[in-house]
Amino acid sequence: MALANTGVRRLLVDSGEPRGWVSLRVDLVTALLGVWFGIGLMIDAWAHTNLTELETFFTPWHAAFYSGFTAVSGWILWQVWRNVRAGRQGLAAVPTGYLAGLLAIPAFAAFGFADMMWHTLLGIETSLDILFSPSHLGLIVTMLLILTTPLRSAWNAPDVGSSPTLMRLLPALIGFAFATTLVSLFLSYGDALQWRPARVVEAFSSLEDPGAERVAIAMVVTNIVMLAPLLFLLRRWKLPFGSVTIMYTLAVLMPGAQTEFENVPILGSLMVSGVVSDLLILWLRPSGARRGAYWAFAGLSGLATWSLYIAFASVAGGGLPTVPELWTGAPIVAGLIGLVLGVLFLPNAVDTERA
């Protein structure tokens, strides 16, 4: 035992070499295994939302979720072990961008055990309480750290630069998009993408309907959840065409799973708005170094996204809402919030090459 402990301590002592970066292929595998992990959570979220008879922790849905965790964790650990075999020790063995994900692995496992005990002793949540369970919150935070590993890996990678190609940025986009879906999941009570088109039209057709306030609040929350990640990325990179489309397409999977894809027109509106936002990037060329264009994109993207939301809901839901102030003003509010976010994210222009 003493010999084993001595070996572990020696392994943890940093050997002094500068930490290196993994290849695009390694990051892509990390991202795709994260997709397995993320889709496993979506399947589990669907089960918790739609199968009220759940009575045990040991379900096929949890198996899909935790097998994804095992796969992506094993891959991350393998990258570290390869460097250990090459003679590196301590932090020198951990690829740049992979440390937070590595530390999140045992933390996630601990929260997974806590979740099992929570369900065993207190039962299975199937309503709003699922989003406030302490063990679930621990799982989601550590999962965020694991899924965003490709993003951190690419952030300062020497072969990325400020104007990366779509392929080079793809692992970061995939990981960040799935991380965004986790946030939307735990803000499901304020997710405008879960509303059916007819209900949106109905809610915005009466000032007496409490749904009007709920839809308006959900649009504000979802606008921030969707737009903030884009502004974060645009502060660092000149995003290649297709980036927003990819992120928004992946983002609809979580609300789609939760609603059994019964609100496809609403989900489709976000996917189309991804294409529109990509076109806005092509036109405005926003970046950390172009503050005016960055602010303009933030406002116009919010305005376009929620104008399309109202348009798709109206077409699929039987016509325009009858309270014009609501359906005309809500997208404008979204655009103004986008502008405020843009100012907060980029109060002054920055040198993206040194970000």
Side-chain angles (χ1 to χ4, degrees):
M1 179 64 72
L3 184 61
N5 289 337
T6 300
V8 170
R9 284 196 297 270
R10 289 183 57 191
L11 188 63
L12 294 177
V13 174
D14 194 275
S15 54
E17 299 96 331
R19 294 168 63 194
W21 280 268
V22 298
S23 66
L24 170 61
R25 183 188 69 83
V26 170
D27 271 345
L28 186 58
V29 173
T30 304
L32 293 177
L33 292 176
V35 170
W36 178 358
F37 194 13
I39 290 179
L41 178 62
M42 293 175 189
I43 295 172
D44 189 46
W46 167 83
H48 277 279
T49 303
N50 298 286
L51 302 180
T52 57
E53 71 276 7
L54 287 177
E55 296 179 352
T56 176
F57 177 85
F58 299 98
T59 65
W61 332 116
H62 275 171
F65 178 41
Y66 284 100
S67 64
F69 163 68
T70 301
V72 69
S73 298
W75 178 252
I76 291 174
L77 290 169
W78 173 246
Q79 303 314 310
V80 177
W81 180 243
R82 289 175 60 188
N83 287 333
V84 169
R85 292 177 61 187
R88 293 172 176 260
Q89 294 177 192
L91 290 179
V94 183
T96 300
Y98 277 65
L99 180 59
L102 178 67
L103 295 176
I105 291 172
F108 182 93
F111 282 115
F113 178 77
D115 191 45
M116 180 182 69
M117 298 306 298
W118 183 281
H119 289 323
T120 301
L121 298 174
L122 300 176
I124 307 294
E125 304 94 343
T126 58
S127 187
L128 183 64
D129 52 353
I130 192 175
L131 305 177
F132 292 91
S133 166
S135 59
H136 287 170
L137 294 174
L139 287 170
I140 218 69
V141 169
T142 49
M143 187 176 179
L144 279 168
L145 293 175
I146 293 171
L147 290 179
T148 52
T149 295
L151 174 64
R152 292 189 301 276
S153 177
W155 194 259
N156 286 313
D159 65 325
V160 176
S162 63
S163 302
T165 64
L166 184 61
M167 186 60 200
R168 183 61 187 88
L169 207 56
L170 186 60
L173 294 174
I174 293 173
F176 206 21
F178 271 87
T180 303
T181 68
L182 302 190
V183 178
S184 71
L185 169 63
F186 274 75
L187 293 175
S188 292
Y189 43 84
D191 188 358
L193 300 178
Q194 293 194 34
W195 285 71
R196 272 60 168 184
R199 185 65 184 110
V200 173
V201 173
E202 180 186 16
F204 272 5
S205 294
S206 173
L207 296 176
E208 305 300 323
D209 189 337
E213 294 181 2
R214 292 177 56 207
V215 173
I217 293 171
M219 289 175 68
V220 169
V221 172
T222 309
N223 183 40
I224 294 172
V225 170
M226 299 308 304
L227 190 53
L230 292 183
L231 297 179
F232 178 75
L233 293 178
L234 279 169
R235 196 178 188 278
R236 174 65 183 92
W237 290 304
K238 298 172 185 175
L239 293 181
F241 186 82
S243 298
V244 189
T245 303
I246 289 172
M247 291 192 67
Y248 278 12
T249 299
L250 295 176
V252 305
L253 296 178
M254 184 66 78
Q258 290 176 277
T259 57
E260 297 186 303
F261 288 94
E262 293 181 355
N263 58 333
V264 169
I266 292 294
L267 304 178
S269 74
L270 187 71
M271 296 167 66
V272 173
S273 71
V275 178
V276 172
S277 292
D278 274 321
L279 291 172
L280 283 173
I281 291 174
L282 199 63
W283 172 41
L284 296 170
R285 296 182 293 115
S287 69
R290 290 169 51 83
R291 186 179 64 175
Y294 184 96
W295 290 0
F297 169 80
L300 291 174
S301 179
L303 175 64
T305 296
W306 297 100
S307 295
L308 286 166
Y309 178 89
I310 295 295
F312 274 63
S314 299
V315 170
L320 282 172
T322 58
V323 181
E325 291 84 356
L326 294 178
W327 65 265
T328 59
I332 295 174
V333 169
L336 292 173
I337 290 173
L339 178 59
V340 170
L341 285 176
V343 174
L344 291 174
F345 270 79
L346 189 70
N348 298 294
V350 297
D351 184 353
T352 53
E353 292 291 349
R354 298 188 179 186

